[in-house]
Amino acid sequence: MSVDAELSALLTETRRFPPSPDFSAKANAQPEIYQRAGVDRLAFWADEASRLDWAQPWEAVLEWKPPFAKWFVGGMLNVAVNCVDRHVAAGNGDRIAYHWIGEPEGDERDISYAALKDLVCRAANALTELGVHKGDRVAIYMPMIPETVVAMLACARLGAPHTVVFGGFSSEALKNRIIDCDARVVITADGGYRRGTAMALKPAVDEAIAELADVRSVLVVRRTGQDVGWTDTRDIWWHDLVDRQSPEHPAEPHDSEHPLYVMYTSGTTAKPKGILHTTGGYLTQAATTHRLVFDIKPESDVFWTAADIGWVTGHSYIVYGPLANGTTSVMYEGTPDAGGRDRWWQIVERQKVSVLYTAPTTIRTFMKWGEDLPAAHDLSSLRLLGSVGEPINPEAWMWYRKNIGGGRCPVVDTWWQTETGGIMITPLPGITATKPGSAMTPFPGIGADVVDNAGEPVANGGGGYLVLTEPWPGMLRGIWGDEERYRQTYWSRFDGMYFAGDGAKKDENGDLWLLGRIDDVMNVSGHRISTTEVESALVSHPAVAEAAVVGASDATTGQGIVAFVTVKGNVAGDPESGERLIAELREHVATEIGKIARPRQILLTPDLPKTRSGKIMRRLLRDVAEHRDLGDVTTLADPTVVNMIDEQMKHQPSTEES
Ligand code: PRX
């Protein structure tokens, strides 16, 4: 071993937390699981699928015609029945499915599995009355309230694929998603609570569908009581329609490959992709990973995924995984600082949360707020912590383990994507040792590797591209309406392997470290945003001639959006009108995409650095945005441009995200 390798092995070794014997003794996963899944991974997944209730058994576990997979071929099941009815039938109707906590203090509801069944059946009957049939798409644009889960499950029950659009997206983004999947019904709310105020949602729906004659019904939950515009022929209150329905609804089983939902996510082009997930395989992976990665004991655990249902993390680990396992979850509507910066710790203490799953951005925010806040609360109910959405830096990992987990809770860093449907790379608590910053190892039955440019696996100690080497149950089945784009995006870079878009390295022990995206996708606070999407939003403003967007590293949010913009003619003029234009452009992006995509900083520049063939050199702009020395500029058509931008950058403060 070279001195370097020895040193790095030593460093890794000292920062390694072996599983505690106490945890291991009671853990759901036992060490033989890796061996068992390694010997016959299809048998492993079949055993896992058998934990669900199937109305008709499958004939084959997997049919693989690369890059198209079918799992549990010929099997029939109903997702809503698996998530709700069967727990009631098993005598667990009184168990709480959700401790729901609204943002305004004291605004809370506990919903048992029996109550959830009642609500889902009523909502399924209501959707049927609105003319929703199996196969029809339903758009859901909601705050974090129980009706959001009810709406999703009602769709699943009917076999009507839902597309949940995050409430932070603009009407324009909502409109594009509704058009892309041709949704005819939208479920929304008057608004929701966020950062201490009632924000509106219904106006964005009205705007989005103003010209979409095919959208025939809008079902509206009253959450805040604020005034809303109303179109009598189209809009209907949830309480008027759903409450009067029967709480009985006979559920039809659906084919294992029947579409369950479409979730839009950003890629490297301006148009978001509708990622399609289907029924049997998706539910199997969501349930299995939830049970084993979070070591779920449904009788005693209180599980909390602190994410929004509008993202895949919410789909798999607030809704489908936890419910399939009959788990009690906390669901919280608001921001971490609503009602005090210790709001989360109040919730953990009062609800006796045992497993907490969140994103590194939030952990880093808590670090900034100080360790006194969690220290003032009894967090002894916690026994396991999870992280997801972006690379977690070792400092944040250690802080989380010490200050939230009291040094006793295993921390599982879980890597996955909207496309994978469920967790793919993760330690298993009680079995796998953990290392701060490493997602460690593929989940049993999952094939993942790090390869070089030629698609050859790298040796331990090497870095390269993360690929998935075998089809997996929760894998996307395609991009809605665009088969070719599916092939191109994921399966064309390396022969026979799924290319995730992430860089990764293997350490000396072969454990995996995720390094972030290597394409033009940014990760801002765990949200995936495409540079091209923001650029095209910017150039759609009449004053903008050209725009280049980069993700610059940010101590809290992981990456921040920095835009370099050239304007038409002399629109910017004096500094004051320049500032006005910058403010206008930030709002313009918020309108086109949503507030999450509003650039942290916009620099108005007379020109952009381009190669002699006219290609914008984003790499240099990233150096500028991250205040690094500029590398090789000799390939530029005009090297003075980038030096000038660099100078300008040094003098313009960045705008804090509001
Ligand atoms: O870059 C990886 C990063 O988030 C991307 C997927 O984003 P999205 O589809 O929005 O799903 C987020 C929640 C599953 C990945 O390509 N990512 C996710 N988890 C991790 C991560 N990067 C490093 N470590 C993780 N644990």
Side-chain angles (χ1 to χ4, degrees):
M1 207 187 276
S2 70
V3 177
D4 270 2
E6 215 172 316
L7 191 66
S8 113
L10 190 70
L11 282 175
T12 311
E13 201 53 37
T14 48
R15 284 279 199 93
R16 184 175 174 274
F17 297 91
S20 85
D22 272 3
F23 201 104
S24 303
K26 292 179 240 147
N28 287 348
Q30 292 299 318
E32 53 76 35
I33 194 171
Y34 286 107
Q35 211 253 340
R36 187 159 57 87
V39 170
D40 189 346
R41 59 182 215 101
L42 294 188
F44 168 79
W45 285 117
D47 283 350
E48 289 300 324
S50 307
R51 292 173 166 269
L52 301 175
D53 274 1
W54 294 77
Q56 185 177 302
W58 57 86
E59 288 145 19
V61 177
L62 170 68
E63 182 193 294
W64 180 222
K65 294 186 181 150
F68 297 99
K70 287 185 181 167
W71 281 83
F72 310 113
V73 186
M76 307 272 283
L77 75 168
N78 187 291
V79 167
V81 168
N82 273 282
C83 287
V84 187
D85 303 38
R86 67 175 177 141
H87 305 310
V88 179
N92 293 320
D94 290 341
R95 186 181 295 160
I96 300 299
Y98 293 102
H99 292 298
W100 176 78
I101 301 160
E103 198 185 80
E105 257 164 283
D107 193 359
E108 299 187 359
R109 276 163 77 187
D110 277 355
I111 298 169
S112 67
Y113 273 91
L116 186 61
K117 175 170 177 277
D118 190 289
L119 287 166
V120 172
C121 288
R122 286 179 200 272
N125 286 322
L127 290 178
T128 304
E129 193 178 314
L130 291 180
V132 175
H133 295 111
K134 179 170 178 169
D136 295 347
R137 273 80 63 201
V138 175
I140 300 178
Y141 186 65
M142 296 274 263
M144 284 280 288
I145 54 176
E147 286 78 2
T148 311
V149 180
V150 173
M152 290 165 72
L153 291 170
C155 289
R157 196 172 186 96
L158 296 175
H162 54 70
T163 188
V164 181
V165 179
F166 173 58
F169 277 119
S170 67
S171 63
E172 188 62 25
L174 174 63
K175 176 178 162 187
N176 293 335
R177 285 156 173 77
I178 292 173
I179 293 174
D180 191 75
C181 71
D182 193 17
R184 304 296 170 95
V185 170
V186 180
I187 307 178
T188 188
D190 52 357
Y193 291 96
R194 204 134 183 95
R195 296 215 154 82
T197 52
M199 53 99 184
L201 284 171
K202 174 77 167 39
V205 175
D206 292 340
E207 215 179 303
I209 62 176
E211 286 155 21
L212 306 183
D214 287 342
V215 177
R216 51 172 194 267
S217 311
V218 179
L219 186 56
V220 190
V221 177
R222 184 179 280 150
R223 163 73 187 118
T224 63
Q226 64 194 291
D227 284 342
V228 290
W230 207 254
T231 305
D232 282 331
T233 49
R234 188 195 68 192
D235 300 346
I236 183 157
W237 285 110
W238 175 283
H239 54 262
D240 282 343
L241 181 68
V242 178
D243 291 4
R244 66 171 161 78
Q245 302 292 328
S246 158
E248 301 296 329
H249 179 270
E252 179 197 331
H254 303 297
D255 189 273
S256 179
E257 283 301 332
H258 186 72
L260 177 63
Y261 68 81
V262 177
M263 157 75 41
Y264 285 86
T265 188
S266 292
T268 51
T269 63
K271 189 173 181 280
K273 300 179 293 223
I275 302 299
L276 171 65
H277 285 293
T278 58
T279 299
Y282 170 80
L283 193 64
T284 300
Q285 190 167 339
T288 304
T289 50
H290 178 253
R291 194 180 91 257
L292 297 176
V293 175
F294 301 111
D295 191 45
I296 293 299
K297 313 284 196 286
E299 311 75 32
S300 52
D301 272 319
V302 178
F303 178 74
W304 182 13
T305 290
D308 197 284
I309 288 184
W311 305 105
V312 77
T313 307
H315 279 48
S316 298
Y317 300 105
I318 297 177
V319 184
Y320 293 115
L323 292 179
N325 289 324
T327 311
T328 298
S329 286
V330 161
M331 179 176 166
Y332 170 56
E333 179 186 29
T335 53
D337 54 354
R341 287 179 164 180
D342 63 343
R343 186 69 188 273
W344 277 31
W345 318 125
Q346 292 174 27
I347 294 173
V348 169
E349 180 169 6
R350 212 156 50 79
Q351 302 293 348
K352 301 207 172 354
V353 173
S354 52
V355 182
L356 176 66
Y357 190 33
T358 188
T361 292
T362 320
I363 298 166
R364 289 190 292 263
T365 303
F366 290 137
M367 286 171 78
K368 274 205 295 205
W369 291 349
E371 56 210 48
D372 293 352
L373 293 172
H377 292 273
D378 176 6
L379 306 182
S380 61
S381 56
L382 287 170
R383 62 183 196 89
L384 177 60
L385 301 174
S387 172
V388 62
E390 39 175 335
I392 181 163
N393 47 316
E395 297 70 27
W397 195 102
M398 291 297 289
W399 189 93
Y400 193 31
R401 186 176 191 281
K402 174 167 177 269
N403 295 289
I404 309 303
R408 65 180 186 281
C409 302
V411 176
V412 290
D413 174 18
T414 63
W415 178 91
W416 58 295
Q417 307 178 299
T418 305
E419 290 87 341
T420 70
I423 293 170
M424 301 293 281
I425 302 176
T426 178
L428 281 183
I431 303 182
T432 323
T434 56
K435 296 174 189 174
S438 168
M440 301 301 289
T441 184
F443 186 81
I446 295 296
D449 209 338
V450 182
V451 299
D452 62 18
N453 239 325
E456 291 301 321
V458 302
N460 287 358
Y465 306 92
L466 182 72
V467 292
L468 301 171
T469 54
E470 308 271 6
W472 62 101
M475 72 187 268
L476 76 164
R477 298 303 196 263
I479 294 176
W480 188 261
D482 202 341
E483 193 178 302
E484 191 44 36
R485 196 174 171 201
Y486 166 69
R487 275 181 201 279
Q488 273 302 323
T489 310
Y490 305 106
W491 300 94
S492 64
R493 178 73 179 80
F494 300 108
D495 198 26
M497 291 186 275
Y498 170 95
F499 173 44
D502 281 280
K505 68 173 188 194
K506 288 182 193 167
D507 67 18
E508 294 303 327
N509 313 110
D511 294 323
L512 301 174
W513 297 69
L514 281 310
L515 302 174
R517 305 286 306 192
I518 52 132
D519 51 12
D520 291 331
V521 175
M522 300 174 284
N523 192 326
V524 182
S525 302
H527 299 151
R528 219 165 123 172
I529 300 168
S530 129
T531 52
T532 334
E533 208 177 335
V534 180
E535 283 168 4
S536 67
L538 284 166
V539 296
S540 73
H541 187 281
V544 175
E546 215 175 8
V549 167
V550 298
S553 59
D554 184 293
T556 307
T557 60
Q559 283 188 311
I561 305 175
V562 178
F564 300 84
V565 170
T566 62
V567 295
K568 289 180 189 154
N570 194 18
V571 193
D574 57 284
E576 224 172 86
S577 44
E579 263 168 49
R580 257 201 315 273
L581 179 60
I582 288 172
E584 202 179 306
L585 290 177
R586 291 183 76 233
E587 283 325 298
H588 180 71
V589 175
T591 311
E592 288 292 305
I593 305 173
K595 284 189 182 138
I596 50 165
R598 199 160 47 185
R600 180 185 78 183
Q601 188 173 14
I602 295 180
L603 216 69
L604 300 179
T605 67
D607 209 346
L608 293 172
K610 290 185 188 152
T611 59
R612 285 180 202 107
S613 58
K615 207 171 159 279
I616 296 173
M617 287 203 61
R618 286 204 183 70
R619 178 180 61 77
L620 284 178
L621 290 175
R622 206 169 302 127
D623 288 342
V624 170
E626 293 180 347
H627 308 289
R628 264 198 307 269
D629 285 345
L630 299 177
D632 181 15
V633 296
T634 51
T635 51
L636 289 177
D638 178 2
T640 57
V641 171
V642 74
N643 289 324
M644 186 187 61
I645 297 175
D646 199 29
E647 269 309 299
Q648 227 184 317
M649 187 78 178
K650 288 184 183 131
H651 296 106
Q652 187 190 303
S654 70
T655 325
E656 277 296 312
E657 266 306 302
S658 46

